[in-house]
Amino acid sequence: MFGSYLPILVHFVVVVVVAGAIMGLSAWVGVKRPSREKLSPYECGITPVGDARGRFSISFYLVGMLFILFDVEIAFLFPWAVVYRSLGWFGFIEMFLYIVILLAGYLYIWKKGALDWTR
Amino acid sequence: MAPLFYIFAVLAILAALSVVLQRTPVYSALSLIVVLCSLAVVYLLLGAEFLAVIQVIIYAGAIMVLFVLVIMLLNARQETPSDRSRLARWLGAPLLLVFLGELLFAVWERFPAATTRAAALPDAGPRAVGALLFRSYVLPFEVTSILILVAVLGAVVLAKKRL
């Protein structure tokens, strides 16, 4: 059973080794001549202004919450997809209803402009 | 299997300690992701494939977004040590040891080593879960969509300035 997950384990090991090698080598081989400019946080080349912990727009919250809700929806699609064939039309109509109900929610979000950043 | 279990169990415990001990909230949140992913591997080793995937999609994905949003919106800075009460300082560690001992004893009594095998568990793969969910529990599944719909409306009504 676990054998089919072996590629993920191999991938995980490769990720750890490569990331560790990159960070370890640059720490070991790299020349370090720190200066005030070099140690300042990098913000796309622009001089940083103030603390990163300012007040954030509520739009982030809205997008985050909507992501969570539709993520939960996706979680139900996953067990459905593996038994889809054995369920036949019954399964199709079942999921169709489910998606249609959630589509109403999506249309509501769209209509209210909740995903529109400037409103 | 056993070495993998020990690697990820130890990783989960270390990351959990990091969650508690970090002073910066974002570091705690990152450590929590490591805890959740390590637990997903442990579930996978127990044969609970569906639970493992859900752990990654819902917990490490969605719930973590919620935590990060709370950190952002509450404007959480570096944690300042509180004035610990004298009682908590002297009684905390012994009570913790008593509690852990109790827990260990209970688990030991309840589940002898011979029965804690993955083979004793029922099939918890996505196929089995899907067959149950879409055949026997159709109505609860459909009602879930209405629950999510209500949550969508709630999120928009709460966060939108003008509807």
Side-chain angles (χ1 to χ4, degrees):
Chain A
M1 200 279 317
F2 194 73
S4 56
Y5 291 98
L6 193 67
I8 298 180
L9 184 67
V10 172
H11 181 85
F12 181 79
V13 171
V14 169
V15 165
V16 168
V17 168
V18 169
I22 290 172
M23 293 181 73
L25 277 177
S26 70
W28 179 42
V29 181
V31 183
K32 284 171 222 57
R33 291 201 199 87
S35 69
R36 207 183 132 73
E37 282 300 307
K38 281 187 193 168
L39 290 176
S40 68
Y42 182 72
E43 272 184 43
C44 311
I46 299 165
T47 318
V49 277
D51 199 348
R53 289 175 193 82
R55 294 187 64 187
F56 284 91
S57 167
I58 195 78
S59 303
F60 287 107
Y61 165 79
L62 196 51
V63 172
M65 283 309 287
L66 294 177
F67 162 71
I68 292 170
L69 293 168
F70 287 105
D71 199 41
V72 172
E73 179 198 346
I74 293 299
F76 280 102
L77 282 176
F78 167 61
W80 177 75
V82 281
V83 291
Y84 171 64
R85 269 176 209 288
S86 64
L87 286 173
W89 279 103
F90 177 65
F92 181 79
I93 293 162
E94 211 179 352
M95 191 44 93
F96 187 77
L97 274 175
Y98 180 77
I99 299 282
V100 163
I101 292 170
L102 285 166
L103 196 65
Y106 181 66
L107 287 176
Y108 177 78
I109 297 166
W110 201 350
K111 200 82 182 55
K112 292 294 175 192
L115 294 175
D116 194 347
W117 206 259
T118 51
R119 273 173 68 187
Chain B
M1 296 306 132
L4 272 180
F5 170 78
Y6 285 114
I7 289 170
F8 284 97
V10 167
L11 193 62
I13 291 169
L14 288 180
L17 279 175
S18 167
V19 172
V20 181
L21 296 175
Q22 291 287 355
R23 288 242 176 270
T24 313
V26 175
Y27 294 168
S28 292
L30 282 173
S31 306
L32 193 55
I33 295 179
V34 178
V35 176
L36 297 173
C37 290
S38 315
L39 287 182
V41 177
V42 173
Y43 292 152
L44 202 56
L45 289 170
L46 284 170
E49 293 168 284
F50 181 68
L51 196 58
V53 173
I54 290 300
Q55 172 87 359
V56 173
I57 297 178
I58 300 292
Y59 278 85
I63 303 295
M64 280 319 296
V65 170
L66 206 63
F67 278 125
V68 172
L69 277 175
V70 168
I71 291 169
M72 271 167 69
L73 293 173
L74 282 184
N75 221 341
R77 279 154 200 285
Q78 199 131 340
E79 177 191 347
T80 45
S82 58
D83 304 318
R84 292 189 194 87
S85 72
R86 194 172 288 229
L87 190 69
R89 199 183 312 173
W90 292 110
L91 233 59
L95 281 180
L96 177 73
L97 282 179
V98 169
F99 173 69
L100 284 179
E102 215 172 350
L103 206 63
L104 201 65
F105 179 73
V107 171
W108 204 261
E109 285 286 293
R110 183 80 181 67
F111 305 103
T115 62
T116 49
R117 291 247 172 100
L121 291 170
D123 181 19
R127 233 167 253 283
V129 174
L132 261 182
L133 188 61
F134 298 105
R135 274 190 218 284
S136 314
Y137 298 98
V138 179
L139 187 65
F141 163 67
E142 294 293 347
V143 171
T144 311
S145 71
I146 294 171
L147 189 68
I148 298 175
L149 184 66
V150 171
V152 167
L153 300 193
V156 173
V157 169
L158 275 178
K160 204 79 180 120
K161 205 186 285 174
R162 289 187 308 271
L163 279 171

